[in-house]
Each structure stands twice: as C-alpha cells, then as structure tokens.
C-alpha cells in the first residue's frame, strides 16, 4: 500500500535521494540538503497556516511506500505565487504589421517579460522514482493535489498553473537559454538553474532584459523549443490536459518550457470528488484500484488508491486503505474516480 501525505523532517534523507535522480531542470527539487530542509519546514508552516491566500506558501507532499517506509515520489502545491517575490514568465505576443506601399504584411512574435500569475496556485515538483513508475502511482501522486484543493478550496486561488520543464539535449544544454539567458547572466544553464532552485530568483529581476524580444532574431534551435516540453515531461502534460489544463500562452524564462493553466473548479478530479463518511470496513482489497480516497483533515491529509463501494450510509473501504488513511467507520472522507470515463461515440 502507498500513501500520499505531507512531508516531515524525517523524510529529508529520502527526499534528497529522490532529488539526486531528477537530473537538470526540476528546479523545485534541487539536490541541495539545506534547501530541501527549508522546503519541508515551509510545508509544515503551510499546513499549520489559517485558510486564505495572503502570502506565498508551499505544501510539499510525499509518496510513501508503507511496506518499506521509502520516499517514492513527491508533488507540491504552491499558493500565492509572486506575493513574496516576482514570478516571471515570457508571454508570447503575436503582432501583425501592414504596409500599403509597397503592399506587404509581416507577422511577428514577441516575448514579453511579465508576472501575470501573481496570486495563482501552482501544481509543482511532480517526480516519481523511476523504480516505482508502474501501475497508477503517478496518477496517485499527481491527483492527490486536486483532492486537497477540493477539500480546502479556501486555501487555494482560482487560477491554477503548472510550469513544465523545457527541452534540453542529451548534454543538458538548453538552446533557449544559450540564445537569451547566457548573454545576460554570463553562466551556464545548469548554474542558473541551481541558483534558481535554491530560491534565489531576485537575480532574474536584476539582469533579465525588460524589453520585448523578437523571436525571429533568435537562432532556429532556440525558436524550435519555445513552448516545447522536456521529453520526460510529456506524460505529465498528458495528465494535465486530461484534468482540463491548457497552454496559457506563456513560457518559462529559463528553458522556454510551456506553462499550463486551468481554473480550480474546472479540474476534473476536484470537480468529480465527493465528500461522505465511511459506512463500513471490509477485509481484503482487489488489485487494479478504481478510486482515490483521502483523509481530508488538513492536519492529517492522506490519499490512497483503493476501491470503494457506495451505500446508503456512506462508502465501504478495505481495512488496509482505512488504516493507511488513519480513519475508521463514521469518519469523513473525500473520494474521486482515478480514471475518466471514455467518451461515448455513436454511429448513424
């Protein structure tokens, strides 16, 4: 059995081991022990904070293998983006210019430095240990965040975004960074990425060009990766699109990765979730789980994959799932289907 739960300081060793497997680009999970420790402490603070979005807070979730105690994955929710320091993106703008003498039309694209997502909620830091990329564990890790938003809507803003890692080559070089960032920062993509991952993004505000950039002036290699995700991020984008996220028209300023966007009430898992009580507990649990079930209490938020049977007095849960949720008969839960129903097609 696996459970998604808030990160604890005892998870620090496991979290760092996980960070060592991410490679370049996942700036929110750096292989830097002091930073990871601060992220756990910040998460503990967030879970204890009163409802409302008045400052930037980060909720860090851990996927635990209950059989071994191993940290198998992580995901996060960051609320109040840009309320403590700027959150920058490049907004893609399309401009048409027309001349009548001679007759000519020119369509151009600009990248404008913006902080359009101030106050938004970000789903972030989704990473599953390669050893555990089986079954539906990736969906559990990702969708647990949406159950948390559904259970505590007053803690999260309506606008929800996801920054996707941009494309890099086999040597971890970013064509986008080489064409823009290196000229203003005088450092490699890896160096800038590490600085940003440790929470120091002020140097971006100090050094990044403030005027629009014409993409036609960039090398072809850089233009080709604007809005292109990292190869390893494609499964995550597929999950996001199924939940209702769409490309926002903005990209990451470091690697040009796409930034996805949705309204909280439109996210499928959150919208389909239902709050009820545990009507009863049964022994055993089938393979191939069909539902996500959470303990919605903010001080003991936990999510598992299991089966539920709906009845007149609530839902029935397998004992192993109830134990993992640390709940019993009569306690409140929130649950949602794991998979979306396939669209019905008709012939005529």
């Amino acid at each position: 059995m696996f459970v998604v739960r808030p990160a604890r300081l005892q998870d620090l060793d496991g979290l760092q081991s996980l960070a060592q497997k991410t490679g370049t680009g996942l700036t929110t999970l750096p292989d830097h022990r002091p930073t990871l420790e601060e992220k756990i402490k910040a998460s503990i603070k967030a879970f204890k904070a009163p409802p409302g979005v008045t400052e930037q807070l980060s909720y860090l979730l851990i996927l635990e293998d209950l059989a071994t105690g191993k940290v198998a994955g992580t995901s996060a929710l960051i609320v109040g983006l840009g309320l403590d320091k700027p959150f920058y993106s490049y907004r893609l703008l399309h401009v048409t210019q027309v001349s009548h003498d001679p007759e000519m039309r020119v369509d151009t694209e600009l990248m404008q430095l913006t902080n359009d997502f101030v106050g938004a909620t970000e789903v972030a830091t989704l990473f599953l240990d390669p050893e555990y990329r089986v079954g539906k564990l990736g969906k559990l890790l990702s969708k647990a965040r949406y159950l948390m938003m559904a259970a505590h809507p007053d803690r999260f803003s309506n606008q929800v975004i996801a920054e996707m890692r941009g494309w890099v080559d086999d040597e971890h070089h970013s064509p986008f960074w080489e064409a823009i960032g290196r000229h203003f920062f005088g450092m490699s993509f890896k160096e800038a990425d590490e600085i940003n991952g440790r929470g120091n993004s002020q140097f971006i505000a100090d050094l990044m060009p403030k005027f629009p950039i014409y993409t036609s002036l960039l090398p072809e290699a850089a233009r080709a990766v604007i809005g292109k995700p990292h190869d390893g991020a494609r499964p995550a984008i597929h999950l996001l699109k199924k939940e209702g996220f769409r490309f926002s028209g903005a990209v990451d300023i470091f690697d040009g990765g796409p930034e996805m966007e949705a309204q909280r009430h439109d996210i499928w898992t959150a919208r389909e979730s239902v709050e009820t009580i545990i009507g009863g507990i049964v022994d055993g649990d089938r393979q191939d789980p069909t539902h996500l079930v959470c303990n919605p209490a903010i001080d003991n938020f936990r999510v598992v994959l299991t089966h539920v049977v709906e009845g007149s007095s609530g839902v029935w849960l397998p004992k192993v799932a109830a134990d993992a949720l640390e709940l019993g008969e009569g306690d409140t839960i929130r649950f949602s289907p794991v998979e979306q129903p396939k669209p019905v097609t008709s012939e005529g």
Side-chain angles (χ1 to χ4, degrees), residues 267-289:
I267 297 174
W268 186 85
T269 296
R271 191 177 70 240
E272 294 296 316
S273 68
V274 175
E275 187 169 280
T276 185
I277 64 170
I278 300 176
I281 296 174
V282 297
D283 290 329
D285 194 12
R286 301 183 348 230
Q287 300 296 313
D288 193 28

Side-chain angles (χ1 to χ4, degrees), residues 132-177:
Y132 287 88
R133 292 177 186 176
V134 294
K136 299 176 181 178
L137 291 180
K139 292 180 180 179
L140 168 62
L141 192 54
S142 175
K143 291 170 177 277
R145 300 172 296 186
Y146 309 137
L147 279 183
M148 186 172 170
M149 283 192 274
H152 301 280
D154 50 355
R155 289 179 173 269
F156 303 97
S157 48
N158 291 326
Q159 185 184 37
V160 184
I161 72 163
E163 277 194 306
M164 308 311 298
R165 297 168 70 182
W167 190 88
V168 296
D169 64 20
D170 293 338
E171 303 295 324
H172 299 295
H173 294 147
S174 165
F176 187 86
W177 174 263

Side-chain angles (χ1 to χ4, degrees), residues 51-128:
V53 183
T54 59
E55 60 179 320
Q56 182 165 315
L57 295 171
S58 299
Y59 300 86
L60 183 62
L61 300 173
I62 291 294
L63 175 67
E64 180 186 352
D65 182 346
L66 291 177
T68 64
K70 182 177 179 179
V71 174
T74 182
S75 63
L77 285 161
I78 303 171
V79 302
L81 286 177
L83 295 184
D84 62 340
K85 52 189 173 185
F87 180 85
Y88 288 107
S89 305
Y90 274 133
R91 174 69 60 182
L92 300 178
L93 305 175
H94 297 273
V95 178
T96 299
Q97 296 171 294
V98 177
S99 168
H100 295 292
D101 187 18
E103 291 289 338
M104 188 176 295
R105 167 177 163 163
V106 177
D107 292 292
T108 57
E109 184 178 67
L110 305 176
M111 295 192 307
Q112 174 67 60
L113 192 68
T114 67
N115 49 10
D116 290 345
F117 299 122
V118 171
T121 293
E122 181 184 3
V123 292
T125 323
L126 178 64
F127 185 76
L128 182 61

Side-chain angles (χ1 to χ4, degrees), residues 6-41:
R8 303 186 290 244
L9 285 172
Q10 300 96 301
D11 298 317
L12 183 56
D13 288 342
L15 195 62
Q16 186 168 18
S17 296
L18 199 65
Q20 292 167 353
K21 301 179 181 182
T22 63
T24 302
L26 189 59
T27 57
T28 52
L29 191 64
D31 179 16
H32 185 250
R33 192 176 183 85
T35 299
L36 294 175
E37 184 175 358
E38 285 304 311
K39 285 181 179 292
I40 294 175
K41 290 179 178 178

Side-chain angles (χ1 to χ4, degrees), residues 16 71 78 82 120 130 133 145 182 196-197 199-201 210 260 296 308 315 321 328 335 346:
Q16 186 168 18
V71 174
I78 303 171
R133 292 177 186 176
R145 300 172 296 186
R182 181 180 282 278
N196 185 48
N200 179 16
S201 60
K210 303 300 186 295
M260 312 291 284
V308 302
V315 300
F335 73 98
S346 59

